[in-house]
Amino acid sequence: MQRTALQLFYLLSAILFVLGLRGLSHPRTARRGMFLAELGMLLAIIGTLFHHEILSYRWIVGGLVLGTVIGAPLAIWIPMTAVPQRTALSHSFGALAAALVGISEYARHGAHLGAGRVAVIGVEVMLGSLTFTGSLMAAGKLQGLIRGYPITYRGQNVSNLALLAGMAGLTVALALTPEAGRLFYLMVALALIFGVLLILPIGAADMPVVIALLNSYGGLTDAAMGFMLDNKIQIITGSLDGSSGFILSILMCRAMNRSMTNVLFGAFGKVPELTAGEEVKKPIRQTTVDEAAEVLGTARSIVFVPGYGMAVSQAQHRVRELADALKKKGVSVRYGIHAVAGRMPGHMNVLLAEANVPYDELYDMDQINPQFAETDVAVVVGANDVVNPAAKRERGSPIYGMPILEVERARVVIVCKRSLGPGFAGIDNELYYNENTLMLFGDAKDTMVKLATALKQ
Ligand code: NAP
């Protein structure tokens, strides 16, 4: 009876996970997809409670309460702008949990598990440990605790490859001598170090790919844990997570014009550093709200290009209101969306959907770039790296090769941000010094409100 209930719950939850992933493939169905996946997770947890090996529910209830006390406030109070680093932290904790389960299995049963199982545990703990520290590094970079651009050092690729070979060698050695506990713990230590060293040299345009890749490693860890514990739902969810994360990394690589080897072993050169607020001694054309509103009022076609600054200032609703005011005047309004604008895949789509911007006004890079030449005004709202022409021209730049939104081809570009400060990649932006660029300094939300008011007058 218990077993049947467990299998039924697992089957239902597996179906819900697949339907959830399918729903997440389009913004229109994403909310429903998310709900289905959440329901799937709930059923998986309920199903697991029927497991015949559970003798007491005391620790489970304790864990549930503790998890809720930490998780609920995190979900409720963390601002939207901090969601990417929170997600990286969740990956990190998930991977840590999986690694700890593997370590405890080995510590309890050791060589009795047999060569095959010890090898699976080895792989699981290795992936879990490196995902734990790697995701912590990624969260630190996204939170600005560690600098966002690549931290490189001499011989970094050789040392990383040596570490990787060392971990693989130890896992094989462990499979041959499952009782060698020292090898196991040495492998865990190397994997923890490898996670740090893998992420430190990656930055700027490659961070999104790496986050998707860490997500994929987390999924693989989960699948390996499923094999170890003989838990079918874990194998299914882990495989779904691992493969979808991997597909996302490949898609991001394509969008960024990068190869996976390039991302992982790019060993970028030193980046010309520019700290926020540093003065740049080139002339710019600073404009006022009234002048910018006049330019907008006389335009026939406008493309808004949102970026991370729009998310920081939560300006999406005000952008839509400004767009509505412009549309009332007969202006054609579109939005150019870069694949890595913001700090997580689909960040701008989520924000604009929240502000009820119609989907058919959103254009991705390949669609909108050819249209800039016929655009009167491109309004850049808190975007920086994704419109930086250095990606096309400056070899050695951490964003070199990344396709950008070519706003400079519009007749006029209005850039709305607070200063000449850099974006995530930490580099200066030539766009700000172009003849057809007008810099409108200020918080994005304030600026949008002021522009809409000035336009009405
Ligand atoms: P960005 O290059 O990080 O630039 C954001 C700009 O917003 C900053 O230059 C900042 O300038 C401005 N800003 C901040 N607060 C603002 C406010 N309140 N009002 C107005 N402006 C504000 O952003 P992006 O162009 O969207 O590029 C995304 C970057 O993040 C890329 O380098 C990408 O590789 C990286 N990344 C993306 C993901 C992803 O999955 N999407 C994940 C990790 C990393 P001021 O300080 O002068 O205002």
Side-chain angles (χ1 to χ4, degrees), residues 84 142 203-209 211 252 256 276 306-310 312-313 339-348 381-387 399 402 416-425 432 441-445:
L142 290 168
D206 294 326
M207 271 319 275
V209 181
I211 289 170
M252 296 291 251
M256 310 294 299
Y308 178 62
M310 182 182 85
V312 175
S313 108
V340 300
R343 291 291 182 273
M344 58 184 179
H347 203 168
M348 297 301 116
V381 188
N384 190 341
D385 294 345
V386 299
V387 292
I399 58 167
M402 171 176 106
C416 308
K417 69 202 289 284
R418 298 165 307 175
S419 66
L420 287 177
F424 186 78
Y432 304 155
F441 291 124
D443 172 76
K445 192 169 169 181

Side-chain angles (χ1 to χ4, degrees), residues 320-371:
R320 205 219 59 228
E321 282 162 20
L322 175 61
D324 286 347
L326 287 162
K327 282 197 271 181
K328 271 196 194 141
K329 288 182 176 285
V331 183
S332 137
V333 174
R334 282 159 294 166
Y335 296 79
I337 308 294
H338 194 286
V340 300
R343 291 291 182 273
M344 58 184 179
H347 203 168
M348 297 301 116
N349 300 67
V350 172
L351 293 178
L352 294 175
E354 182 199 314
N356 293 322
V357 171
Y359 295 124
D360 56 8
E361 289 177 10
L362 307 190
Y363 290 72
D364 65 31
M365 206 165 23
D366 296 340
Q367 293 171 314
I368 201 75
N369 270 345
Q371 301 186 26

